[in-house]
Amino acid sequence: GKILYSGQPLSVDSEIQRLISFYDKDQKKYLYPFAYIDPITNEYFYENVPPGNYLISGIIGEGHAIPGSFLFSGEIGKDAFALPGILRFDLTAKLYIHLLSPQDNSRDLCGDRPTLDMNSLSFEWEKVPMADYYVVTIYEQKDPNTYSPVYEVNVKDSKLQFSLEGKTGGVKYMLYIIANNSKNESIGVLAHHCKGSWGSYYFTLK
């Protein structure tokens, strides 16, 4: 199959790193089958995948670098493996959003959580190709395992200034940005890089 970005085949250099995993929902374990991409057709291939119900995910990019890395995902059921011949299915890619301010998430942000002025919050990020608008949501931590939305807005521009006046200082907040195309399909998501993995972007208020 192909890896699609905003409905169009994503051109992928066969030499670029691909971190691909199959999560077996029945066995509750990960598989990492051999995979490669044909540089001529841009189709991807997996080998030696046993029949199963899988969640498929991976990263395409130069290591874990932002900007330029894509997250892709898909799901396939065991019944599909009963069909004769080569099993074909497409995966959907999302671009990792490059945050520019108040921090640059192209560098490792492990434990680096900024404290921002609740009366004058400002975020800016790099425009996502083919994005029509962005959904920006702020979540407030209620307890160690629970976050609740306290602010949400759709914006056309790749920056936003607003206030969270009256909110609690010192509490952990999470910034979540989704880039959507004109069909309301998600094609980009915000994350930050920490020691070879991805996580949400957190901050506190003063």
Side-chain angles (χ1 to χ4, degrees):
K2 292 182 179 291
I3 298 175
L4 304 177
Y5 174 74
S6 194
Q8 302 298 318
L10 182 65
S11 179
V12 179
D13 187 329
S14 62
E15 298 301 318
I16 289 180
Q17 182 178 0
R18 294 169 297 280
L19 305 178
I20 301 169
S21 67
F22 280 62
Y23 179 71
D24 189 321
K25 295 192 293 183
D26 301 321
Q27 300 295 324
K28 294 181 170 46
K29 65 178 182 180
Y30 284 93
L31 303 177
Y32 298 92
F34 176 75
Y36 66 96
I37 293 178
D38 187 321
I40 305 299
T41 64
N42 273 321
E43 289 194 311
Y44 69 88
F45 299 87
Y46 299 99
E47 293 182 354
N48 301 320
V49 180
N53 297 308
Y54 295 106
L55 296 174
I56 306 168
S57 62
I59 294 171
I60 296 177
E62 297 178 355
H64 284 82
I66 293 179
S69 292
F70 291 85
L71 166 73
F72 64 89
S73 61
E75 186 170 356
I76 191 167
K78 185 180 295 184
D79 292 344
F81 289 85
L83 300 175
I86 298 175
L87 179 62
R88 305 180 64 88
F89 57 98
D90 295 330
L91 297 172
T92 300
K94 298 180 182 181
L95 180 68
Y96 276 122
I97 294 175
H98 182 196
L99 187 68
L100 303 174
S101 176
Q103 290 179 296
D104 183 346
N105 66 338
S106 65
R107 63 183 182 86
D108 198 310
L109 296 179
C110 289
D112 188 3
R113 187 168 67 235
T115 300
L116 307 178
D117 184 353
M118 69 175 69
N119 298 310
S120 182
L121 289 164
S122 178
F123 297 102
E124 185 174 358
W125 56 94
E126 196 170 281
K127 291 182 182 296
V128 173
M130 304 179 75
D132 187 63
Y133 66 98
Y134 305 89
V135 181
V136 181
T137 309
I138 303 295
Y139 293 87
E140 181 182 64
Q141 186 179 40
K142 299 301 183 181
D143 59 54
N145 300 310
T146 305
Y147 284 82
S148 297
V150 294
Y151 180 89
E152 182 170 295
V153 66
N154 292 0
V155 295
K156 288 281 191 179
D157 203 359
S158 59
K159 58 184 177 182
L160 176 65
Q161 291 183 313
F162 62 101
S163 169
L164 286 177
E165 184 178 0
K167 292 299 177 183
T168 305
V171 174
K172 191 192 302 186
Y173 291 83
M174 179 174 67
L175 170 67
Y176 196 61
I177 303 175
I178 299 175
N180 288 342
N181 62 15
S182 59
K183 297 179 180 179
N184 297 318
E185 298 168 333
S186 175
I187 59 172
V189 64
L190 176 68
H192 82 266
H193 178 218
C194 175
K195 296 181 179 178
S197 63
W198 301 99
S200 299
Y201 182 80
Y202 298 101
F203 62 93
T204 55
L205 295 177
K206 62 179 179 180

